[in-house]
Amino acid sequence: MKSSVIYKAFVGLLFLGMAACEVNNLDDENKNPKTDYSSFNYVLATEDASTADITRFFSFDLEGLDAAKQYDLIQDNQMFVNSDPSTSSGHQFFKNFIFSMAKDKRGYSSTPGLFRLTLNTSDQVFVDSEIYIGKGNLFPSRKLALVNDQLGFYYNEDSGGQTIQAFNPLTMQLGEALDLRPFIKAFRPDVEFEDEYGNNLVRTGSLVMDYKDDKLYVSVVFLEEASFNLISEDEENFYLAVIDIPTFSFEKIIQYNGVKTVGFFVSENNPTTKDEDGNLYFCSWGWNQFNNHNPSKIFRIKAGETDFDSNWEIDIESLFGEGRIAQSIMSYNNKLYLHISEDPYLFESSEEVETRNGLKLSYYEFDTVSPENYVKLEVPASNPASRMNVFNIVDDRLFMVVPNAIAPNFNGVYSINRQGALKKEMQISNKYRPTRFYKLGE
C-alpha cells in the first residue's frame, strides 16, 4: 500500500514536471508576435534523427555560442527556445517570416497548405497565418516563389490540376490564378491529365518554381503513374513553363534534354538558385522513384535569356564517378556550392536507415565561369538530405547545415564568408539533424 502511494506520488510529480517543461518550451497558446528582434532572432530547424517527420524549431543568439561545445538543444533550454508548430521546415524566409508548405506530424503527415511562421513574445516559432490548399486524392509537393513583399506564387492543385496561384506574403491574401492546362494541351496534344482514379498526371510547380528578370519558371511534370511519382522511361526531357510576371500570362514551354526531374518530390527541398549576375541554376540528382534514374546534372538559364543554356553544364558523374549525385545547391558570391555524395547514391534504399545514416556527402565550391574547376571544402561530410537544402544565406554569409545522426560524427552548422574563410558556428547533439538555418527580423 505504501509503495503504491509512493509510486502514485512519483508519477504525479513526474507529470507535473513534464507539464511545466511543456509550458516553458511548447506554449502553443502564445500568439503574440515578437516585436523586438535584438535577441533570439536566429532560428535552427531540425528533424529528429529517428524520424524525418518530427520537425523542431529552436531560436537562439548566435553570438553567444561556444563553437567548441556540443549543445543538447532541449536540455540547454536557457540558450535555445524549443517550439514545435507542426509544420515542415520551409525553404523560403524573409523579414520575420518562414514559409512552409506542409504539416508533417501530430497525425497530419503531408497535409498541404501555405503556413506562415514567425516568433512570439516567448521566442517560440508559431503559425501566425495559413492558406488552405486541398490535396485531392494524392498530396504532391508544392514549391513556393517569393518575388517581393507583395507577391508570391505557389502550385494550387485544389483550384485545378495545373493552376499557379498568386498571393500577397504580407497579407496572406490570394491574387490571380493562372491555369496552364490549355497551354500544356497545345504543347502535348495527346497528354493524359488524369488516371482512371482521377489522380492528376500532369503537375505544375511540384519540382521547380523560381523567377528572374520578371519571368516565373514553373516545372511541368508528365507522370506515368501518379501514386508513385513515376516518370516514363521513354521521357528524355525536363520541362519548364515560362510565365511573364507583370501580365501573369503564359509565354512558352522550354525543355532540357537528358534530365527528367529536378530536386525531390517533397515541398521542403529547393533545387534552384540564382547568382548575383542573374543566372538561374537547376540541380537534378536524377531521382525517378522506382524507375531508372538519370545521371545527376547542374544546368542553367542565363541572365537576360528565357531558354536553357546549351553550352553550360556540370555533369556530376563525369567529375566524381558513376552514381554520384549533387543533392543541394546554392549560389553565393557568384560561386556555386553543391552537396555531393562520396559513394554511389542508393536510390532503391534512400529511406532506409542504413542509407540515411551511412551514406556521406561532402561540400564543394564550383567556379561558374569554368565549372570543371572545383574545391572540396574543409567541412565534415554529412548524411543525405533528401528533405532539405543544406544551404542558407544569412548575414551575407553562406551557412551550411551538416546533418549526421550517428555520434561522434559532427552534427551542426558551418559558414563561409566572401573572403572564403570557413567557420564552425555550432555543434549539436546527434539526436537533432539540422535542416535549415534562418535569421528573422523586421
Side-chain angles (χ1 to χ4, degrees):
M1 183 70 167
K2 182 178 179 181
S3 62
S4 176
V5 172
I6 293 174
Y7 173 76
K8 289 179 180 179
F10 172 76
V11 171
L13 290 171
L14 180 62
F15 175 79
L16 289 174
M18 292 174 64
C21 180
E22 179 143 347
V23 169
N24 290 332
N25 292 317
L26 299 173
D27 182 4
D28 292 330
E29 300 305 312
N30 186 351
K31 304 294 185 181
N32 300 311
K34 180 182 176 78
T35 56
D36 179 6
Y37 283 87
S38 61
S39 64
F40 285 91
N41 51 347
Y42 291 87
V43 176
L44 182 70
T46 72
E47 64 184 24
D48 282 17
S50 59
T51 172
D53 276 343
I54 298 179
T55 302
R56 302 181 189 276
F57 295 80
F58 298 88
S59 65
F60 59 97
D61 290 325
L62 180 63
E63 292 77 12
L65 297 184
D66 181 355
K69 178 181 177 180
Q70 178 174 288
Y71 291 96
D72 186 309
L73 297 175
I74 291 181
Q75 295 299 320
D76 293 316
N77 55 18
Q78 298 302 308
M79 303 193 70
F80 299 92
V81 177
N82 172 22
S83 49
D84 184 2
S86 187
T87 70
S88 63
S89 54
H91 65 261
Q92 298 280 8
F93 72 103
F94 81 100
K95 292 190 173 181
N96 56 320
F97 299 119
I98 301 167
F99 290 86
S100 175
M101 300 300 290
K103 297 272 189 178
D104 66 353
K105 50 193 172 300
R106 294 184 183 173
Y108 297 97
S109 181
S110 294
T111 300
L114 176 52
F115 305 95
R116 192 177 72 179
L117 312 175
T118 191
L119 288 166
N120 64 20
T121 52
S122 303
D123 297 317
Q124 299 158 320
V125 174
F126 74 102
V127 179
D128 87 315
S129 185
E130 62 184 86
I131 295 175
Y132 170 80
I133 305 176
K135 69 176 183 178
N137 294 342
L138 295 171
F139 171 44
S141 66
R142 291 175 171 87
K143 293 299 183 287
L144 175 70
L146 298 178
V147 178
N148 54 46
D149 292 359
Q150 308 297 323
L151 184 62
F153 300 97
Y154 65 92
Y155 172 35
N156 191 1
E157 190 180 39
D158 188 47
S159 295
Q162 294 74 43
T163 301
I164 304 304
Q165 178 72 57
F167 80 106
N168 185 314
L170 289 183
T171 65
M172 293 293 277
Q173 294 178 324
L174 297 181
E176 295 181 78
L178 178 62
D179 185 2
L180 296 178
R181 187 176 183 125
F183 308 108
I184 296 170
K185 180 70 173 178
F187 175 77
R188 184 173 282 189
D190 59 346
V191 64
E192 293 185 20
F193 284 98
E194 293 89 20
D195 64 15
E196 59 183 314
Y197 304 105
N199 296 313
N200 183 17
L201 291 175
V202 181
R203 293 178 180 167
T204 56
S206 61
L207 293 179
V208 166
M209 192 173 296
D210 212 331
Y211 70 95
K212 73 175 186 68
D213 302 327
D214 280 337
K215 306 297 179 186
L216 182 68
Y217 294 88
V218 177
S219 59
V220 180
V221 180
F222 300 99
L223 294 179
E224 180 179 61
E225 188 173 344
S227 59
F228 295 109
N229 296 312
L230 293 176
I231 298 175
S232 171
E233 300 281 12
D234 297 329
E235 189 60 74
E236 297 179 346
N237 301 300
F238 173 72
Y239 301 95
L240 280 181
V242 183
I243 297 169
D244 181 67
I245 293 176
T247 62
F248 200 24
S249 59
F250 171 84
E251 290 193 350
K252 60 182 176 180
I253 292 177
I254 60 176
Q255 57 193 45
Y256 193 83
N257 185 258
V259 171
K260 296 181 183 182
T261 63
V262 168
F264 187 62
F265 277 95
V266 293
S267 298
E268 298 95 324
N269 184 288
N270 192 38
T272 60
T273 185
K274 291 186 293 290
D275 65 20
E276 294 169 20
D277 290 336
N279 302 299
L280 177 61
Y281 297 88
F282 303 81
C283 177
S284 172
W285 46 287
W287 180 85
N288 189 19
Q289 193 66 280
F290 304 117
N291 280 351
N292 289 333
H293 311 287
N294 279 28
S296 179
K297 294 182 179 182
I298 316 300
F299 50 101
R300 72 180 184 180
I301 299 174
K302 292 178 66 176
E305 300 183 5
T306 57
D307 289 301
F308 290 113
D309 183 357
S310 59
N311 298 315
W312 191 98
E313 182 182 86
I314 298 177
D315 187 325
I316 299 300
E317 286 198 348
S318 68
L319 293 176
F320 296 91
E322 185 176 355
R324 274 66 170 183
I325 66 161
Q327 197 174 62
S328 293
I329 185 172
M330 183 66 72
S331 176
Y332 170 70
N333 201 24
N334 271 348
K335 297 181 177 65
L336 204 60
Y337 291 84
L338 298 174
H339 194 216
I340 298 173
S341 64
E342 295 181 354
D343 295 303
Y345 190 90
L346 304 176
F347 286 101
E348 290 75 16
S349 61
S350 61
E351 294 305 310
E352 298 296 328
V353 172
E354 292 79 11
T355 300
R356 287 193 290 112
N357 296 346
L359 185 68
K360 296 297 182 182
L361 291 92
S362 296
Y363 299 75
Y364 290 83
E365 177 187 279
F366 279 74
D367 180 353
T368 57
V369 176
S370 303
E372 67 279 3
N373 295 325
Y374 60 87
V375 175
K376 183 178 181 180
L377 300 179
E378 294 297 322
V379 175
S382 86
N383 293 153
S386 60
R387 291 168 56 90
M388 64 190 82
N389 187 319
V390 298
F391 303 110
N392 276 120
I393 297 175
V394 171
D395 292 337
D396 198 33
R397 288 180 287 165
L398 178 69
F399 283 78
M400 297 165 275
V401 298
V402 184
N404 278 299
I406 305 299
N409 295 324
F410 176 85
N411 185 58
V413 181
Y414 269 72
S415 72
I416 189 170
N417 65 16
R418 289 185 179 270
Q419 290 71 46
L422 277 171
K423 181 182 179 182
K424 181 169 69 172
E425 297 284 351
M426 60 188 298
Q427 183 172 358
I428 63 177
S429 167
N430 297 84
K431 292 183 290 187
Y432 326 99
R433 285 165 34 106
T435 62
R436 290 287 192 283
F437 188 91
Y438 317 97
K439 184 182 182 182
L440 303 184
E442 297 288 350

